[in-house]
Amino acid sequence: EAGVTQFPSHSVIEKGQTVTLRCDPISGHDNLYWYRRVMGKEIKFLLHFVKESKQDESGMPNNRFLAERTGGTYSTLKVQPAELEDSGVYFCAVRQSMNTEAFFGQGTRLTVV
Amino acid sequence: RKEVEQDPGPFNVPEGATVAFNCTYSNSASQSFFWYRQDCRKEPKLLMSVYSSGNEDGRFTAQLNRASQYISLLIRDSKLSDSATYLCVVTPGTALIFGKGTTLSVSS
């Protein structure tokens, strides 16, 4: 079975540009999460989808970040316009239910210069 | 106070050593607890779930003390391949909340 796939693996953009990160989850895993790890800090929760609905977006840093999950399948996270502090590794994770293992994608390393 | 706090580390130990990691969490409503492992520049992967009764998986033993809001991970007979960052994870709601992680380096 394919795991969680994230695109791109790396992205380097200039401040003010737009970037869209994509996550393709494991089929049948309704719970999809986005996380971010900034250098030297803990992995921080951004938001949680259950199928196509946003269950919890309390971790989204500001309105420059927009997440969508089309038809409850793949998800995108758009940053517009990007700022220097947005640099970090963005992870997507999926779970079948609340008490089960979360499977992570390999992450997208975003660098804003 | 951070939601999940871990020993700062790093822990540098020789092969064969026993090492223990501690973690405390602030939200008493947390229901599920996990230890994840993250290798350098890789994604986190589940090491083991943590149950109230304590649980063991080979050389790894996890303990949970709900009254003290404390979780531990014990690694016996450390191997070189155990070198990684160990992440304490709790779920006070629907999301997994991570500690900063403790780095373990096992040397020969």
Side-chain angles (χ1 to χ4, degrees):
Chain A
E1 180 180 11
V4 180
T5 307
Q6 291 187 243
F7 303 98
S9 56
H10 293 80
S11 180
V12 181
I13 61 171
E14 292 184 351
K15 177 182 171 180
Q17 289 187 318
T18 297
V19 64
T20 300
L21 314 181
R22 173 168 168 146
C23 170
D24 284 47
I26 300 169
S27 176
H29 287 58
D30 291 340
N31 295 277
L32 185 149
Y33 304 82
W34 282 98
Y35 286 86
R36 174 174 75 175
R37 186 163 203 167
V38 172
M39 179 84 74
K41 301 284 182 76
E42 67 270 24
I43 297 172
K44 281 259 190 189
F45 167 75
L46 297 179
L47 89 159
H48 170 209
F49 284 99
V50 178
K51 297 186 180 178
E52 68 275 10
S53 301
K54 291 177 185 174
Q55 178 77 12
D56 180 355
E57 51 185 330
S58 61
M60 295 288 261
N62 51 61
N63 60 10
R64 295 185 294 103
F65 289 74
L66 175 65
E68 294 179 324
R69 189 177 183 193
T70 306
T73 55
Y74 71 91
S75 177
T76 57
L77 179 65
K78 182 162 73 173
V79 185
Q80 178 183 31
E83 298 289 344
L84 299 179
E85 66 264 25
D86 300 333
S87 296
V89 182
Y90 290 77
F91 289 106
C92 172
V94 298
R95 300 168 91 178
Q96 283 188 311
S97 63
M98 288 302 103
N99 294 323
T100 57
E101 177 179 359
F103 296 92
F104 282 76
Q106 290 194 305
T108 294
R109 185 171 297 274
L110 174 66
T111 303
V112 183
V113 297
Chain B
R1 181 184 174 188
K2 285 192 177 293
E3 288 192 80
V4 180
E5 298 209 57
Q6 294 186 240
D7 284 347
F11 283 61
N12 299 301
V13 304
E15 275 186 292
T18 295
V19 61
F21 302 141
N22 302 315
C23 169
T24 57
Y25 59 95
S26 61
N27 192 327
S28 59
S30 298
Q31 293 296 318
S32 303
F33 309 88
F34 308 92
W35 283 100
Y36 274 73
R37 168 190 168 135
Q38 187 173 23
D39 292 287
C40 188
R41 294 185 172 265
K42 298 284 190 180
E43 72 276 20
K45 291 186 178 178
L46 179 68
L47 177 65
M48 58 197 303
S49 301
V50 187
Y51 305 115
S52 295
S53 54
N55 48 301
E56 188 173 311
D57 182 3
R59 298 181 293 108
F60 299 83
T61 300
Q63 297 276 355
L64 167 65
N65 184 321
R66 284 186 185 270
S68 302
Q69 295 179 203
Y70 169 89
I71 305 161
S72 66
L73 176 68
L74 184 76
I75 305 175
R76 291 180 300 278
D77 189 22
S78 299
K79 311 289 184 192
L80 294 175
S81 56
D82 294 334
S83 298
T85 296
Y86 290 83
L87 303 161
C88 177
V89 182
V90 305
T91 55
T94 60
L96 295 93
I97 305 300
F98 286 79
K100 200 172 174 181
T102 302
T103 299
L104 172 65
S105 178
V106 182
S107 56
S108 57

